Amino acid sequence: MKKHLLALCLFPALSFTVLPVVAASTSLNPQNVATAPSIAPEKLQRLSWLPLAPPVSQDIALNTASASLNEGDISGPVAAVALPADQGSLEVTLASIMKDQRVYAPNVLVLDSQLQPAAFFPSSYFTYQKPGIVATNRLEGTMKLTPVLGQKQIYLLIYTTTRDLAQTSTMINPAKLYAEGASNAIPDVPDPVVRHVNTGTLSLKVKSEQNSGNIMIGKLFGSGESKPVVVGSANASTGSAQPTISTPAPMAAPAPAAPAAKSEPMLNDTEKYFNDGIRKAAKAGDIDKALKLMNEAERLGSTSARATFISSVKGKG
């Protein structure tokens, strides 16, 4: 299963910090949204977004009754998921189940609270995984996302493309799997070819990680006020989700507010301690830790921690 571990901040000037950990993943750059599809905002707003609150496991059936998009290279049924942006870092594992030698090859476009593209995971990110005790043959990948302050929700648009439909995947031959489990010689038999189709079943697992973050979703500090974004209603579901078009409901992303400062000024040594910690964490790519230090410093009365944080993550610290 592929996990992409990296840190990313989205500023108005779109500056990035990337820390690749898994060698096989370094060729993929999720924050390069230039390669992501361009989708009309009104079409995104009309989708019915399924809200999921971690920890949660959710199966999503994609079929002819599901919401669909046909724009550019996107073809057929899609899944639209809304995740909370105020519970720390999120670890999202997406699996597409192989059945009857068919599979839905997922792509994931991550959108911030204003429905602006923030990260893009193409179908090549979701690789084949062998069946286990509680899992079957599948395409799977794990995404680690850190919503920045001032957002209530972020969004995952899961879709497949005409290019994906022209390709295939390969699953391990059951005879090889049996021989491997029995410690026998692996037989020389061909592996079944799995066709890519535009229907299928997705399995989504989401958990929050308060102490770690990788891909930051959304603008850290916007310039001016953001206009409210209206999206389709998002009704909770406990079974297979089949999004439908519904009446839009207003949703606004509040501007980030600094924690209330103490009335007493912070001592110079304490202020320096926190500012040095913020610079060190930002330089190491640990944006989540830098955010926590900034919040704690402001709670204790710091007047310079926020400016230190902003300049540090912009590389000017």
Side-chain angles (χ1 to χ4, degrees):
M1 179 177 63
K2 183 179 292 185
K3 291 189 178 183
H4 210 92
L5 310 179
L6 50 91
L8 163 66
C9 287
L10 295 188
F11 297 98
L14 294 182
S15 59
F16 308 109
T17 302
V18 183
L19 300 177
V21 174
V22 182
S25 304
T26 55
S27 60
L28 180 63
N29 193 2
Q31 76 271 21
N32 182 16
V33 294
T35 60
S38 177
I39 304 172
E42 59 271 18
K43 291 191 176 182
L44 291 172
Q45 293 171 15
R46 283 199 298 265
L47 290 174
S48 182
W49 297 87
L50 172 70
L52 296 179
V56 65
S57 296
Q58 178 77 39
D59 289 340
I60 302 176
L62 295 175
N63 50 44
T64 55
S66 303
S68 63
L69 277 177
N70 289 285
E71 183 155 335
D73 203 28
I74 298 177
S75 175
V78 300
V81 176
L83 299 177
D86 55 0
Q87 296 188 20
S89 300
L90 301 172
E91 180 177 288
V92 183
T93 299
L94 173 64
S96 182
I97 308 304
M98 291 181 171
K99 185 177 181 181
D100 298 328
Q101 294 183 214
R102 298 183 178 190
V103 70
Y104 182 99
N107 300 256
V108 178
L109 180 61
V110 185
L111 306 159
D112 65 16
S113 62
Q114 292 295 305
L115 292 178
Q116 295 300 308
F120 173 52
F121 296 85
S123 58
S124 59
Y125 183 81
F126 302 91
T127 56
Y128 171 71
Q129 301 298 315
K130 296 186 293 186
I133 298 176
V134 294
T136 185
N137 292 289
R138 63 206 183 278
L139 300 178
E140 184 173 295
T142 295
M143 301 161 283
K144 292 196 172 187
L145 315 173
T146 300
V148 301
L149 298 173
Q151 302 180 99
K152 288 189 175 180
Q153 288 183 311
I154 62 173
Y155 304 91
L156 306 183
L157 179 65
I158 307 170
Y159 63 91
T160 197
T161 69
T162 53
R163 186 182 297 109
D164 295 318
L165 295 175
Q167 299 174 350
T168 60
S169 295
T170 303
M171 60 181 283
I172 189 171
N173 192 299
K176 292 182 179 178
L177 199 62
Y178 174 80
E180 183 180 296
S183 299
N184 295 334
I186 305 299
D188 185 16
V189 292
D191 291 321
V193 174
V194 180
R195 290 200 305 124
H196 291 181
V197 294
N198 62 5
T199 59
T201 300
L202 303 176
S203 177
L204 201 63
K205 295 180 181 179
V206 185
K207 65 180 182 179
S208 60
E209 294 186 319
Q210 295 290 345
N211 297 321
S212 66
N214 299 285
I215 300 177
M216 299 199 73
I217 303 303
K219 292 182 179 179
L220 191 57
F221 296 98
S223 54
E225 295 185 358
S226 299
K227 295 182 179 180
V229 171
V230 180
V231 300
S233 63
N235 298 317
S237 172
T238 56
S240 296
Q242 298 180 3
T244 55
I245 301 300
S246 59
T247 304
M251 180 195 68
K262 294 183 64 175
S263 56
E264 306 89 352
M266 178 179 280
L267 296 175
N268 289 338
D269 287 347
T270 307
E271 188 110 30
K272 182 177 184 301
Y273 168 81
F274 277 101
N275 286 341
D276 288 347
I278 291 169
R279 293 188 187 97
K280 184 177 180 181
K283 185 176 181 180
D286 194 344
I287 306 302
D288 196 58
K289 181 178 179 180
L291 280 170
K292 286 181 170 63
L293 286 170
M294 181 196 76
N295 289 332
E296 179 63 15
E298 290 190 333
R299 188 182 69 81
L300 295 174
S302 172
T303 58
S304 64
R306 183 166 291 252
T308 300
F309 175 77
I310 295 173
S311 62
S312 295
V313 295
K314 285 185 176 181
K316 301 177 182 179

